[in-house]
Amino acid sequence: MIPLPLAGQRVLVTRPAGQAEGFRTLLEAVGATVTTAPTIRLIPPSDPAALGRAAARLAEYDWIVLTSVNAVHRLGEAAPEADSIAHAAGRFAAVGPATADALRALGVAECLVPPVYRGEALADEIVAATGPGSLSAARILLVQAERARPVLRTRLVAAGARVDVAPAYAVEVNRDVRDALREFIELGRGDWLTFTASSAARAFVQLVGAQTGGALVAAISPVTASTLSGLGLPVHVVAATHSMPGLVDALVASAARPGRFAATHGHA
């Protein structure tokens, strides 16, 4: 019987509660032993009514842009009628395939997704799809986390669009997992620390500092990797495809390299 590629390796998942199960399932399917410790939790934004006001005016927008699955879910909850999102006249854009899938579950037939799942690429794709100079008359609704990276809005405004930002949720540090993180790190028994968002990385360091306990660090994207590096954490793996399946593929590929795991990880 051929062993699973991550058999015997212990992986920490830092995604929020309620969102880690899909990632856990993917990891366990390739043999990993998974510990979940959600370093952040999602809370209502400072103006909880803003998204509802925007959802009631979807017909006014040429583009409706969403930057996470959570943003899609919150928009769906805020919509005045169950089918109002699917019947919106504007075009939809999503930062990645998981977000696009969440929109399709709400009945959205077509959705623009950039080839690279980053805000910069999404802005460039919207500009390209609209045509040179055409955004000068466009109204765009941007649904995202409160205090999200400003690059998407900045680029769209620079292209001439009028952009309304509707915060769908805010993020706070989940201090309830501090002891679980310390145990995973201080006992030095973990093999991988995984991060699927910059906010989770920042919260991790707030909770336990820039320490890994000898575990390798894996990031879902260059943006998250840059955040980790800026916080003083080493980054050993960055997913080529910026999604949870892509991150699992990156871990499997890293573990498969001859000598790679043993050379960088003392307790393997």
Side-chain angles (χ1 to χ4, degrees):
M1 183 175 179
I2 299 175
L4 296 171
L6 293 187
Q9 296 186 25
R10 292 139 297 191
V11 180
L12 182 77
V13 171
T14 58
R15 286 178 63 78
Q19 299 175 29
E21 286 309 307
F23 193 23
R24 172 195 280 273
T25 299
L26 291 171
L27 288 165
E28 289 179 341
V30 291
T33 299
V34 179
T35 297
T36 57
T39 59
I40 58 173
R41 58 165 63 99
L42 307 184
I43 60 174
S46 55
D47 182 3
L51 184 58
R53 293 193 297 268
R57 305 195 315 273
L58 290 182
E60 300 177 11
Y61 294 102
D62 300 289
W63 284 92
I64 302 162
V65 183
L66 299 105
T67 63
S68 70
V69 172
N70 291 311
V72 175
H73 291 164
R74 297 300 190 273
L75 180 61
E77 293 166 0
E81 297 179 9
D83 61 350
S84 59
I85 295 175
H87 292 159
R91 300 177 67 180
F92 282 86
V95 74
T99 305
D101 287 343
L103 279 168
R104 293 187 187 100
L106 294 179
V108 174
E110 296 185 8
C111 183
L112 177 70
V113 179
V116 177
Y117 310 144
R118 298 179 62 175
E120 295 89 336
L122 181 55
D124 292 345
E125 287 296 308
I126 292 171
V127 172
T130 308
S134 298
L135 278 186
S136 60
R139 288 199 64 185
I140 297 178
L141 175 63
L142 176 55
V143 185
Q144 61 182 17
E146 193 166 54
R147 294 189 293 274
R149 294 172 67 230
V151 62
L152 179 53
R153 179 184 182 277
T154 299
R155 290 202 177 195
L156 292 172
V157 169
R162 292 178 294 161
V163 181
D164 293 338
V165 178
Y169 56 92
V171 173
E172 71 175 9
V173 177
N174 180 16
R175 302 190 184 280
D176 294 341
V177 301
R178 189 195 302 269
D179 290 344
L181 289 175
R182 284 177 172 168
E183 180 178 0
F184 191 89
I185 293 167
E186 290 174 4
L187 292 178
R189 295 176 180 171
D191 296 304
W192 292 98
L193 305 176
T194 63
F195 296 92
T196 59
S198 290
S199 54
R202 288 188 290 267
F204 176 91
V205 172
Q206 287 186 51
L207 290 166
V208 295
Q211 55 180 325
T212 67
L216 301 178
V217 177
I220 198 169
S221 71
V223 171
T224 303
S226 177
T227 298
L228 288 162
S229 297
L231 293 167
L233 286 165
V235 179
H236 303 92
V237 167
V238 180
T241 301
H242 310 150
S243 63
M244 286 182 287
L247 185 52
V248 173
D249 289 345
L251 296 182
V252 170
S254 181
R257 294 179 196 132
R260 171 71 168 86
F261 193 72
T264 58
H265 195 54
H267 62 264

